[in-house]
Amino acid sequence: MPSLPSLLGIRYPIIQAPMAGVSTPQLAAAVSNAGGLGSVAVGHVGADQAAKLIAQARSLTDKPLNVNVFCHAPAVQQASVDRAWLETLGPHFTEFGATPPRELREIYTSFVNDDDMLELFLKQRPELVSFHFGLPAQERIDALKSASIKVAACATSLEEALAIQAAGADLIVAQGYEAGGHRGVFDGRQDLRLGTMALVRLIASKTRLPVVAAGGIMDGRGIRAAMALGACGAQLGTAFILAPESSANPAYRAMLKSERAWHTHVTSVISGRPARGIYNRFMRELEQAGGPAIPAYPMAYDAGKALHEAAAAQGNFEFGAMWAGQGAPLVRDMSAADLVAALVAEMGQMD
Ligand SMILES: Cc1cc2nc3c(=O)[nH]c(=O)nc-3n(C[C@H](O)[C@H](O)[C@H](O)COP(=O)(O)O)c2cc1C
């Protein structure tokens, strides 16, 4: 089995997780320049904006890069569900002197039917393309591979890992329940909520592909532990949020540095899909039993973002998506390059 550095042409077995809305081209380039693999998240933007983000990262590094997209099933609009949800959120909007949107929009286009994004990748040829929330059609994976682009996908169970292997991917990102951000669970599959330790060992022992561990890994010891379980490297998200190169706002940074970081929680109320973040009023008040059905992802996220904007305009940050993993209290306030150097030093000499 090739090592992660030799497979990807990098120096250290460390991937900075793609983090839509938080990672930036500057962050990705800094990590790649420091010897890890930087990731440009483009799941939340269209192909035009993605082209700009990738070009920006490319202008800052000549090292390999990962580009990440979402492969969720496109949402089926259910007007009555959306209406009931907006009514439920109504009093919260009123509290902040705002009105809820009239209807919910599908704010993100899934890569499963985004031809422009595929064309962009084939033209720009990032070294790695990674998928979250499932896999696109086989022809799309084959097209990327024929262009010498390596392919990775996120698995939260052995069943998903085997599907990724069968699709001819090069890497499996094993995402444990500790992880910050959205659970990568495939549509229609049960969320088994497996922790990183069990999941990595399970996937590493039952598949033939290199496995990258993700979820709750914050330092060199965590990376070494994942590698002792059979992973070829680790993908870290939360650890990079405080880096000056991330676009996390001051309120998010302050919350992550506070004792609130000890309380993370997986919720679907913010976006319509389960995701782990710092426990806040949005989760507490909207998760109450007997509430109406939550609109599908990413329709619910349209409402969640509007509510956060209304609250934030009044100085209230209790309705934001402050995604963070269970290792959040271990987060360090340092530049991306310093963090990669610290991780490598903690792991012991790797090269
Ligand atoms: C703020 C944030 C945003 C995220 N956005 C994405 C994303 O756009 N695409 C993706 O594949 N994973 C995303 N993730 C999940 C990461 O890929 C990874 O699984 C997770 O960060 C690992 O757990 P950790 O945060 O404990 O390191 C995100 C995670 C965070 C914390």
Side-chain angles (χ1 to χ4, degrees):
M1 175 117 34
S3 71
L4 192 64
S6 67
L7 183 71
L8 298 174
I10 56 178
R11 194 159 175 208
Y12 306 117
I14 299 169
I15 301 179
Q16 161 252 315
M19 293 183 281
V22 172
S23 57
T24 61
Q26 290 74 14
L27 178 64
V31 171
S32 289
N33 284 333
L37 182 72
S39 300
V40 182
V42 300
H44 60 311
V45 296
D48 286 352
Q49 182 63 14
K52 287 187 195 147
L53 295 174
I54 299 168
Q56 247 179 307
R58 280 276 188 234
S59 73
L60 298 170
T61 185
D62 56 2
K63 301 283 191 300
L65 288 168
N66 170 37
V67 178
N68 172 262
V69 283
F70 301 150
C71 290
H72 56 281
V76 179
Q77 188 140 22
Q78 289 182 284
S80 59
V81 171
D82 294 0
R83 243 190 335 269
W85 187 244
L86 286 169
E87 262 170 42
T88 304
L89 293 180
H92 292 89
F93 278 94
T94 308
E95 178 183 338
F96 302 114
T99 44
R102 276 178 190 286
E103 52 186 39
L104 297 178
R105 300 159 303 155
E106 187 169 9
I107 53 174
Y108 304 154
T109 304
S110 174
F111 180 69
V112 300
N113 55 15
D114 192 343
D115 294 339
D116 295 341
M117 194 70 87
L118 177 63
E119 207 176 296
L120 174 71
F121 291 170
L122 296 176
K123 206 167 89 198
Q124 293 205 341
R125 297 190 183 210
E127 286 71 17
L128 179 70
V129 166
S130 66
F131 306 125
H132 207 50
F133 305 142
L135 290 164
Q138 191 62 47
E139 307 84 73
R140 283 175 186 253
I141 295 174
D142 295 344
L144 292 169
K145 296 205 64 174
S146 314
S148 304
I149 299 167
K150 298 230 160 36
V151 167
C154 178
T156 62
S157 67
L158 178 61
E159 194 188 2
E160 291 169 354
L162 291 171
I164 294 167
Q165 175 171 275
D170 300 281
L171 269 186
I172 299 169
V173 177
Q175 187 200 40
Y177 199 58
E178 298 93 321
H182 282 89
R183 307 260 315 124
V185 186
F186 288 20
D187 284 293
R189 304 279 170 97
Q190 190 194 349
D191 187 348
L192 300 180
R193 302 181 179 184
L194 299 175
T196 306
M197 192 159 184
L199 183 69
V200 167
R201 188 72 208 114
L202 195 56
I203 297 179
S205 61
K206 306 246 182 241
T207 67
R208 298 181 304 275
L209 288 185
V211 178
V212 173
I217 300 172
M218 301 299 288
D219 57 19
R221 280 175 186 257
I223 299 171
R224 284 186 70 132
M227 293 178 75
L229 291 170
C232 63
Q235 175 163 306
L236 285 66
T238 303
F240 284 98
I241 296 176
L242 291 184
E245 296 92 344
S246 100
S247 60
N249 64 33
Y252 192 177
R253 288 172 192 269
M255 221 176 265
L256 204 48
K257 286 190 213 174
S258 77
E259 72 93 40
R260 297 277 297 270
W262 289 91
H263 307 279
T264 65
H265 179 70
V266 174
T267 190
S268 296
V269 297
I270 294 181
S271 75
R273 284 189 94 97
R276 181 180 294 281
I278 297 175
Y279 193 60
N280 62 14
R281 259 189 76 191
F282 199 153
M283 302 180 193
R284 189 171 69 241
E285 292 175 17
L286 274 302
E287 275 182 5
Q288 281 161 9
I294 304 165
Y297 176 94
M299 318 294 287
Y301 218 175
D302 193 22
K305 283 172 186 284
L307 178 56
H308 166 59
E309 238 170 73
Q314 304 287 325
N316 184 314
F317 296 94
E318 284 301 312
F319 293 85
M322 312 256 180
W323 304 135
Q326 287 180 341
L330 293 169
V331 71
R332 290 177 273 189
D333 195 347
M334 47 170 68
S335 73
D338 286 350
L339 180 55
V340 172
L343 295 170
V344 171
E346 289 159 358
M347 289 167 73
Q349 206 56 40
M350 296 293 300
D351 58 345

